[in-house]
């Protein structure tokens, strides 16, 4: 700074330095005030704060299967939570992560273990030892194998469509989205190569993806959920990943497969969406998976909230007023169990066509 001032008199130098110091002090105080305000907003005493990526533009809760898994799990377990879309990764570099009573936990498996220990919830209490083992094996297949093939489709092959869904605002939002998406593409390709699956050709990767999806379809069969008639933790995992194929990969091989030959997986996704995400609705939804009654009810669903407190048994409107709601009804009062689509209904529809 002194060199830049050149031959200016000493009092001008003093004035410039003093002004700079005052500006620096003001910036520091502003930073501290914002930090205090943020800390107050994130007071996690007896409250679950879920950190995740921002909502995308296409109405899907998240482009991250792990974020969608975690939020769906919280709804399945009927645990009130508050979303925080700050984009900040956990100390381990993970997303999503939670805060509860000022304790930070990352990694969806560790988050679920933590909540089970602290809050006594357990979606798997009805499962026997063999079923728990199968559930874990399916979870690892989905998260450690299927995930990478879907990520390739989302962030490499179908990047142009994914870029349209990314939610960024500001005067340079289009440029920032382009930069973000192409950086993510590079990261995904590098991590896939390190994993090993990225060393195969595109056709070989899609062959592996199809095998995984067919395995899930065979395991599900005509059951309501993966492990039977009752929802369990593995359903949050499978739904979080299959939802990407259903609603974020238009025109791609995963979407054609799940909405075509593996129709039971599509109906499974619809079943979970309607029961645990009553406000999640697409104007361009394919009514093939909707019954007449449920399709009428879906027209009144409200859009997803960017920043909100959520509980299945009680929620709040935009002004903070309490709205009564039971776990078995949506915002319109219609039963969520009306949305359980069965195979007979689909076959009747196909015959009519």
């Amino acid at each position: 700074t002194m060199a830049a001032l050149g031959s200016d008199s000493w009092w001008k130098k003093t004035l410039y330095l003093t002004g700079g110091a005052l500006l620096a002090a003001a910036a520091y105080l502003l930073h501290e005030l914002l930090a205090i305000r943020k800390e107050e907003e994130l007071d996690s005493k007896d409250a679950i704060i879920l950190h995740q990526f921002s909502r995308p533009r296409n109405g899907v809760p998240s482009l991250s299967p792990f974020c969608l898994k975690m939020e769906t799990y919280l709804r399945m377990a009927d645990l009130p939570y508050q979303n925080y879309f700050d984009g900040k990764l956990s100390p381990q570099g993970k997303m999503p992560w939670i805060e509860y009573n000022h304790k930070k936990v990352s990694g969806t498996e560790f988050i679920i273990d933590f909540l089970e220990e602290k809050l006594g919830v357990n979606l798997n209490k009805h499962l026997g030892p063999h079923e728990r083992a199968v559930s874990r094996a399916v979870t690892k297949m989905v998260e450690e194998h299927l995930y990478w093939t879907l990520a390739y489709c989302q962030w490499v092959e179908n990047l142009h469509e994914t870029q349209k869904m990314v939610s960024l605002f500001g005067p340079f939002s289009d440029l920032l989205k382009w930069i973000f998406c192409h950086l993510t593409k590079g990261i995904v390709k590098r991590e896939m190569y390190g994993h090993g699956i990225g060393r195969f050709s595109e056709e070989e990767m899609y062959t592996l993806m199809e095998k995984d999806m067919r395995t899930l379809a065979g395991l599900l069969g005509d059951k309501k959920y993966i492990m039977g008639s009752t929802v369990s933790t593995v359903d949050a995992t499978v739904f979080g990943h299959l939802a990407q194929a259903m609603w974020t990969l238009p025109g791609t091989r995963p979407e054609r497969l799940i909405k075509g030959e593996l129709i039971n997986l599509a109906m499974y996704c619809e079943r979970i969406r309607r029961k645990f995400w009553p406000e999640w609705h697409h104007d361009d939804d394919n009514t093939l998976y909707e019954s007449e009654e449920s399709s009428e009810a879906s027209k009144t669903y409200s859009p997803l909230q960017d920043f909100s407190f959520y509980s299945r048994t009680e929620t709040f409107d935009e002004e903070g007023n309490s709205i009564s709601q039971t776990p078995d009804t949506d915002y319109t009062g219609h039963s969520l169990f009306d949305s359980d689509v069965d195979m007979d209904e689909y076959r009747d529809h196909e015959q009519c066509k």
Side-chain angles (χ1 to χ4, degrees):
T1 302
M2 296 296 289
L5 292 175
S7 59
D8 285 346
S9 59
W10 66 269
W11 64 270
K12 285 187 178 181
K13 296 179 181 179
T14 303
L15 180 62
Y16 292 148
L17 291 174
T18 303
L22 289 174
L23 286 174
Y28 175 78
L29 289 174
L30 179 62
H31 175 270
E32 290 300 307
L33 288 173
L34 290 175
I36 292 173
R37 180 181 177 184
K38 182 177 179 180
E39 185 174 348
E40 291 175 350
E41 290 176 347
L42 294 181
D43 183 6
S44 63
K45 179 174 173 56
D46 298 327
I48 299 172
I49 297 174
L50 176 61
H51 295 259
Q52 61 170 312
F53 298 114
S54 299
R55 302 286 195 210
R57 291 177 177 270
N58 66 333
V60 175
S62 181
L63 294 176
S64 163
F66 293 98
C67 289
L68 183 53
K69 166 194 174 178
M70 196 65 249
E71 191 168 1
T72 301
Y73 171 85
L74 291 171
R75 293 180 175 222
M76 287 178 171
D78 198 11
L79 294 175
Y81 65 93
Q82 182 170 335
N83 279 315
Y84 201 77
F85 302 99
D86 54 353
K88 180 181 178 182
L89 301 178
S90 71
Q92 294 81 14
K94 293 284 189 178
M95 188 74 91
W97 56 287
I98 68 163
E99 292 181 79
Y100 182 78
N101 284 338
H102 306 290
K103 172 73 173 179
K104 299 178 181 179
V105 186
S106 67
T108 56
E109 183 172 357
F110 292 115
I111 292 173
I112 291 172
D113 290 344
F114 173 81
L115 295 175
E116 288 182 351
E117 178 184 353
K118 295 295 182 181
L119 302 179
V121 297
N122 189 348
L123 293 181
N124 297 331
K125 60 185 178 182
H126 62 287
L127 301 179
H130 175 74
E131 293 172 313
R132 289 172 185 262
V134 172
S135 178
R136 178 167 176 78
V138 172
T139 297
K140 294 301 117 179
M141 180 193 75
V142 170
E143 293 186 343
E144 305 296 339
H145 199 260
L146 177 62
Y147 163 74
W148 291 108
T149 58
L150 293 176
Y152 174 84
C153 187
Q154 188 175 47
W155 293 104
V156 180
E157 185 195 14
N158 208 44
L159 184 65
H160 180 68
E161 291 296 326
T162 302
Q163 184 174 327
K164 297 177 184 178
M165 303 176 195
V166 173
S167 179
L168 288 176
F169 301 97
F172 303 104
S173 59
D174 290 338
L175 176 61
L176 291 175
K177 283 198 296 183
W178 186 92
I179 294 173
F180 169 78
C181 288
H182 282 77
L183 284 175
T184 303
K185 174 183 176 179
I187 293 172
V188 168
K189 291 182 70 175
R190 184 176 68 249
E191 292 187 350
M192 288 182 67
Y193 190 85
H195 176 278
I197 198 170
R199 303 177 187 226
F200 297 113
S201 68
E202 180 178 295
E203 186 61 33
E204 289 172 328
M205 283 191 286
Y206 279 127
T207 298
L208 296 175
M209 177 210 69
E210 184 172 335
K211 286 183 177 181
D212 288 343
M213 292 181 67
R214 290 186 182 280
T215 298
L216 290 174
L219 181 61
L220 176 65
D222 59 358
K223 299 193 300 294
K224 191 173 182 180
Y225 300 112
I226 294 295
M227 302 308 298
S229 60
T230 305
V231 72
S232 58
T233 302
V234 69
D235 291 300
T237 302
V238 174
F239 174 75
H241 288 73
L242 291 183
Q244 308 303 317
M246 275 284 290
W247 293 294
T248 73
L249 299 173
T252 62
R253 292 172 66 172
E255 186 200 49
R256 293 195 300 270
L257 189 61
I258 194 173
K259 292 182 178 180
E261 188 176 348
L262 306 182
I263 195 68
N264 66 330
L265 293 182
M267 294 190 295
Y268 166 81
C269 289
E270 284 286 354
R271 190 153 45 241
I272 292 179
R273 185 183 77 157
R274 293 176 188 171
K275 182 171 183 179
F276 298 104
W277 291 90
E279 76 279 31
W280 172 6
H281 175 65
H282 284 269
D283 292 335
D284 59 347
D285 275 343
N286 190 333
T287 56
L288 171 64
Y289 315 111
E290 298 180 357
S291 64
E292 182 177 352
E293 181 179 356
S294 62
S295 63
E296 287 298 318
S298 67
K299 296 178 182 178
T300 60
Y301 291 159
S302 58
L304 292 171
Q305 298 296 315
D306 276 350
F307 187 87
S308 60
F309 179 84
Y310 180 85
S311 170
R312 287 185 61 211
T313 54
E314 183 176 43
T315 190
F316 301 89
D317 60 19
E318 293 180 356
E319 298 178 358
N321 300 317
S322 177
I323 301 174
S324 296
Q325 181 186 1
T326 68
D328 297 338
T329 59
D330 62 16
Y331 295 106
T332 68
H334 292 279
S335 173
L336 296 176
F337 294 104
D338 293 341
S339 64
D340 293 336
V341 185
D342 55 34
M343 289 297 291
D344 291 336
E345 180 182 341
Y346 168 71
R347 294 191 186 98
D348 292 341
H349 182 89
E350 286 293 290
Q351 290 175 359
C352 291
K353 290 171 64 178

